[in-house]
Structures are given as structure tokens and as C-alpha cells.
Amino acid sequence: QVQLVQSGGGLVQAGGSLRLSCTASGRIFDLYSMAWFRQVPGKNREFVGFISWNDDSTYYADSVNGRFTISRDYPENAMSLQMNSLKPEDTAVYYCANGRALVTYTSVYDSWGQGTQVTVSS
């Protein structure tokens, strides 16, 4: 099993930036698709983006493309989510996850971080 621990997040004004981190431990050779999702109360968890642990390729949801960047943090088994030009609608609890395929839906992701709140004020 992979364990994921998140850090970062907090409160920022619209237009500002925040950085989230996600550090993996345990069966790190199982790291494959490392992704970020977000969730607001009453809604399903929403895909944000993923990075392939094999070749560092990335893919983003349209809503964040061009504003958010996922990167690996070498040599640690960690990744970051750099969020720029934040909007109030980016407010959510953000989760990192590891999954068995490079996809945007939650069902293939079987390891999850604890979640961290990001609040963007207008």
C-alpha cells in the first residue's frame, strides 16, 4: 500500500498563488498515476490533473489548464501542485491520489492523501 501525506494549502486572495505537496511512502514502486482531485461540499470529487510517474507527462482539467502545474519533487517521492491565478471557484478540499491508470475518474485511484483546504477569497 502507498501512503500519501499532504502539506500546504490555506487562504489566499483571488489572483494569488498557493502550492500543495504530496509525499509518498510505503510501496513507492507502485506509484504510477499521481493525481490531484478537489471536492466541495455536496459535490462529487473533481479531477484536477495527473502526472505519470514513468515519464513525467501531465494532463489537466480544462478548468485549471494554464493556471495549475503538477511536478515531481526529486529525489523525494513527492509531487507538488502549483496553483496560480487562483479564483474563488477553486475553493475546495484538495486530495492527492495514486492510481493504476492515467485517467480522470476516481475509481482507479486506491491511495489517497488526507485532504487539505484551499480557500480563495474574492
Side-chain angles (χ1 to χ4, degrees):
Q1 185 74 357
V2 172
Q3 289 83 43
L4 301 174
V5 176
Q6 299 177 221
S7 61
L11 173 65
V12 67
Q13 288 188 331
S17 299
L18 280 175
R19 186 178 183 90
L20 306 181
S21 294
C22 176
T23 302
S25 62
R27 294 171 59 94
I28 57 174
F29 48 84
D30 283 346
L31 296 178
Y32 184 77
S33 174
M34 288 282 280
W36 290 95
F37 290 82
R38 64 188 183 185
Q39 189 169 24
V40 298
K43 292 192 174 183
N44 292 331
R45 202 161 288 188
E46 176 190 22
F47 171 78
V48 173
F50 63 62
I51 184 167
S52 165
W53 225 242
N54 285 343
D55 62 12
D56 290 357
S57 59
T58 55
Y59 179 78
Y60 302 94
D62 289 344
S63 59
V64 306
N65 196 26
R67 301 187 297 121
F68 291 11
T69 302
I70 299 173
S71 59
R72 284 183 67 171
D73 297 330
Y74 293 95
E76 294 80 12
N77 294 305
M79 71 169 174
S80 295
L81 176 66
Q82 177 66 40
M83 302 181 289
N84 298 329
S85 302
L86 282 161
K87 305 174 181 179
E89 51 264 43
D90 294 319
T91 296
V93 176
Y94 283 71
Y95 297 88
C96 64
N98 179 62
R100 305 178 299 277
L102 296 169
V103 297
T104 64
Y105 45 91
T106 60
S107 60
V108 300
Y109 291 88
D110 48 20
S111 298
W112 292 86
Q114 78 276 20
T116 185
Q117 178 69 45
V118 170
T119 302
V120 184
S121 63
S122 57

